Amino acid sequence: MPHAGSSRPSHILLRDDAGRWATAAPERTVLGVIHNVTSATRLLDLLAPFEGDSRVHVVFTCTGSSAFENGTREFIAARQLPWISWEEAKREKFDLAVSSSRGGELHKLNAPLVGAPHGAGYNKHLRREPGAGSREPGAGSRKPEAGSRKPEAFGLDAEWLTHDGELIPSAIVLSHDEQRERLRRGCPEAVPISVVAGDPCMDDLRAGLPFRAEYRAALGLTPGRKLLVLTSTWGPHSLLGANMDLVRRALAELPHDEYRVLAAVHPNVWYGHSGWQVRAWLAPYLRAGLLLPAPETDTWKAALVAADAFIGDHGSLTLYAAALGVPGLLGAFGDDVVAAGSPMDRLGAALPRVAPDVPLGRQLRRAAAAQADDERLAAIGGLVTSRPTRAAELLRRLYYERLELDEPAWPAVPRPVALPLPLPAERYGPVPPPMFVDVRPEPDGTLVLRRHVAEFQGAVTGHLADPHLVVAEGDPDGRWAGAADVVLGRAPGPRETYRSAAERVFAAHGGCWLVAFADRAVGEAGCVAVTRQGEVITGRWAEGGDLGFGVAASVLYADAGAELTVSVRVGGEVGVLRVG
């Protein structure tokens, strides 16, 4: 694929002899203007109203003005988008252009331009500094000089909507009526060309709500397991920029079998630092089960629909999650870059911030209880769109009026996001992570096990009552050898008995009281445990309730041997262990 700015030939439909080579004969040509991967993902949502209409042909270009251009070419190539260079785009004439960003020399396009936001409305401010045409909103922009007015949100200010005193777009898409008043303050001459058309992303999210169970299953959530979504925009004030330790805390403090944690990371983080670097920074957490979808996919949409809770920052995903009614907390917030009076500004004042000294699970439970009927949060969520379910309809009307074409006969309606494909499986080593395990009896005698990844534990310990430490034999981290209470032993050798194999393990783990092996007779469905006193105890899961030999080992360590059978619950799964 040619690089942005190259002089290689245009797309075939822009050639003078296109009629000779083209299969279809579109009546109108639309230019989709890409700034970076972030704007590209939004742009595809905005162009969805053209689906099914062969009278309209869409070609794409990239302005080359973004500091986060990495990944753009790969995005275009992976989706087989018909592409022309920016120089060609400025030379050619189009019937319409659509952009979800304000960056680049948009005033040089020879087409009526529809400008739309690339997130949940207009929430961040940015001053264009001299010679800084590639500046990005939300990264910690320079504040205006003392005594000057604070700018309106990026996209609603004359600084970004005009060139030499002339309006650049011919139509400005707003998602809510409240934005028109802010536009009036920032660029009054643009009010007559503003169109309130709602938010196509919000509409698609809401269209997916009836299928929440399907999204949860596609994300690998077992019954009873909750999904926590960590949402991070980019820049030093973002969740990953200001509080990356929250990833560790989530995996450390939330029971491993009761929660899955998914990190929805802004494309500018991914492509600004590289996907490899982001994954390297998060590698310990990925090994412990963190889900990390590639940001150019729409998996984050499925995750928000499937979520039980979120922890976010001042990015659009936080506002979308709140608008869906998902209870949440703020792990970071860029007060300096959020436009005063915007929905994001109001949300920042309404959501609780993560406390460093209170167990995270307790904070999430409090948030869920407090936010269930919070009218203030509901009102803020309502500011995402004032035309719910109608964005596809209203955008199509706007486009076809500009194109002077009759609209297609079929209705333009929101579509639920496609079910996500299975996330790439993380490579993992042969040694499972050490776990702190709590075993607590319920009034009916059921034992409830809660497991927490040991290596991530920090100062907050209220989530751990009286745990024991379970370590696998051969763990390379020597600090666990002397601290382990239970060791999951490797299978005994051909000439070893369970007792002799256990003696080998006891010798290497001075504090260990019990060594457990998978029962060779029934595999993972059974456990043979040897105590330091030499007692051999077996435990086998009754039919239909196999929770694995590691869970059985913790039950046996908790001295459940006095019972012939014991009911055990781990996360949303229940099994019956027969002890013999």
Side-chain angles (χ1 to χ4, degrees):
M1 193 195 81
H3 187 277
S6 73
S7 58
R8 297 176 69 179
S10 304
H11 188 268
I12 191 171
L13 287 185
L14 299 182
R15 292 171 53 136
D16 292 336
D17 60 348
R20 180 181 179 185
W21 307 107
T23 300
E27 300 173 31
R28 303 288 190 273
T29 304
V30 174
L31 180 68
V33 182
I34 293 172
H35 188 60
N36 51 30
V37 172
T38 306
S39 71
T41 57
R42 181 65 167 200
L43 184 62
L44 295 185
D45 288 340
L46 293 167
L47 295 175
F50 291 123
E51 291 178 355
D53 191 350
S54 61
R55 298 173 301 166
V56 178
H57 193 280
V58 181
V59 296
F60 295 83
T61 190
C62 181
T63 61
S65 60
S66 174
F68 298 101
E69 201 173 3
N70 288 342
T72 306
R73 286 181 292 165
E74 292 79 3
F75 182 95
I76 292 170
R79 287 152 186 79
Q80 302 178 24
L81 304 183
W83 183 90
I84 63 172
S85 73
W86 181 239
E87 293 305 316
E88 291 172 297
K90 291 187 290 185
R91 288 197 303 266
E92 297 288 343
K93 187 178 186 302
F94 301 91
D95 298 295
L96 185 69
V98 181
S99 176
S100 59
S101 178
R102 301 292 185 263
E105 299 174 312
L106 299 179
H107 59 281
K108 293 187 177 181
L109 291 175
N110 188 10
L113 174 66
V114 174
H118 67 252
Y122 301 88
N123 292 291
K124 300 173 185 177
H125 65 75
L126 170 69
R127 296 301 295 266
R128 190 197 297 272
E129 295 182 359
S134 64
R135 285 292 307 277
E136 308 280 342
S141 55
R142 157 174 90 81
K143 293 183 181 179
E145 300 298 331
S148 64
R149 70 175 180 84
K150 188 174 183 178
E152 282 301 329
F154 172 73
L156 299 180
D157 195 278
E159 189 173 17
W160 293 95
L161 294 174
T162 63
H163 178 76
D164 289 340
E166 298 292 329
L167 285 171
I168 298 171
S170 63
I172 299 170
V173 173
L174 308 178
S175 56
H176 198 284
D177 293 304
E178 67 85 17
Q179 294 160 12
R180 188 166 275 157
E181 183 54 37
R182 291 195 282 144
L183 178 63
R184 193 183 311 279
R185 294 195 301 265
C187 187
E189 62 269 37
V191 172
I193 65 168
S194 63
V195 178
V196 180
D199 187 313
C201 181
M202 190 71 240
D203 287 355
D204 291 349
L205 288 169
R206 285 179 172 158
L209 288 175
F211 310 102
R212 185 170 184 267
E214 287 84 348
Y215 291 119
R216 291 176 62 82
L219 290 169
L221 292 166
T222 54
R225 204 169 191 186
K226 297 180 179 180
L227 177 64
L228 171 67
V229 177
L230 305 177
T231 74
S232 179
T233 187
W234 64 283
H237 305 297
S238 68
L239 188 146
L240 289 184
N243 200 357
M244 193 180 294
D245 187 59
L246 262 176
V247 183
R248 179 198 63 79
R249 282 194 64 186
L251 291 163
E253 298 179 31
L254 300 176
H256 180 74
D257 302 290
E258 296 177 24
Y259 280 87
R260 290 302 304 267
V261 181
L262 182 146
V265 178
H266 195 285
N268 286 359
V269 181
W270 198 269
Y271 295 109
H273 293 283
S274 82
W276 177 89
Q277 184 62 80
V278 172
R279 299 180 76 83
W281 284 334
L282 300 177
Y285 313 126
L286 292 169
R287 288 194 291 268
L290 175 70
L291 300 175
L292 184 67
E296 75 274 9
T297 70
D298 53 13
T299 300
W300 67 267
K301 296 179 183 178
L304 289 189
V305 174
D308 296 281
F310 75 90
I311 301 177
D313 53 20
H314 58 285
S316 291
L317 271 63
T318 300
L319 190 51
Y320 282 134
L324 287 173
V326 182
L329 307 167
L330 290 176
F333 199 79
D335 295 283
D336 288 344
V337 299
V338 173
S342 66
M344 188 63 70
D345 185 42
R346 301 182 193 185
L347 187 63
L351 284 179
R353 310 289 171 109
V354 172
D357 54 353
V358 179
L360 205 53
R362 189 183 307 167
Q363 295 184 62
L364 291 173
R365 289 190 294 272
R366 289 174 179 171
Q371 296 172 27
D373 300 306
D374 192 318
E375 295 181 359
R376 182 185 180 192
L377 282 176
I380 294 170
L383 296 175
V384 172
T385 174
S386 56
R387 304 291 187 272
T389 75
R390 298 186 61 201
E393 166 202 344
L394 296 174
L395 286 171
R396 190 171 79 173
R397 181 181 304 168
L398 169 65
Y399 298 156
Y400 280 80
E401 285 177 353
R402 296 298 193 276
L403 293 172
E404 298 182 349
L405 279 178
D406 293 332
E407 291 188 47
W410 55 86
V413 297
R415 300 286 181 184
V417 62
L419 294 175
L421 295 173
L423 294 175
E426 296 297 332
R427 297 184 64 189
Y428 60 93
V431 182
M435 291 280 182
F436 283 123
V437 184
D438 277 330
V439 182
R440 306 180 192 182
E442 291 192 331
D444 65 357
T446 298
L447 292 181
V448 178
L449 267 71
R450 289 189 171 90
R451 300 189 287 184
H452 298 79
V453 182
E455 68 175 300
F456 299 150
Q457 301 307 314
V460 177
T461 58
H463 59 287
L464 296 170
D466 184 23
H468 60 265
L469 177 61
V470 179
V471 177
E473 181 185 4
D475 192 296
D477 191 338
R479 61 183 160 156
W480 306 117
D485 300 298
V486 176
V487 175
L488 304 179
R490 302 178 66 184
R495 299 185 180 183
E496 284 186 313
T497 65
Y498 286 117
R499 276 197 176 93
S500 63
E503 288 302 321
R504 164 172 48 80
V505 176
F506 284 128
H509 298 77
C512 175
W513 184 82
L514 182 144
V515 179
F517 304 92
D519 190 338
R520 284 177 292 196
V522 292
E524 289 288 316
C527 170
V528 176
V530 182
T531 69
R532 188 168 281 275
Q533 290 75 28
E535 181 184 5
V536 178
I537 310 171
T538 62
R540 292 185 178 179
W541 295 106
E543 184 177 350
D546 180 10
L547 300 181
F549 95 96
V551 172
S554 286
V555 173
L556 297 179
Y557 176 83
D559 199 20
E563 299 290 339
L564 293 178
T565 62
V566 58
S567 177
V568 182
R569 187 170 77 244
V570 180
E573 298 185 72
V574 177
V576 175
L577 187 70
R578 293 173 179 167
V579 181

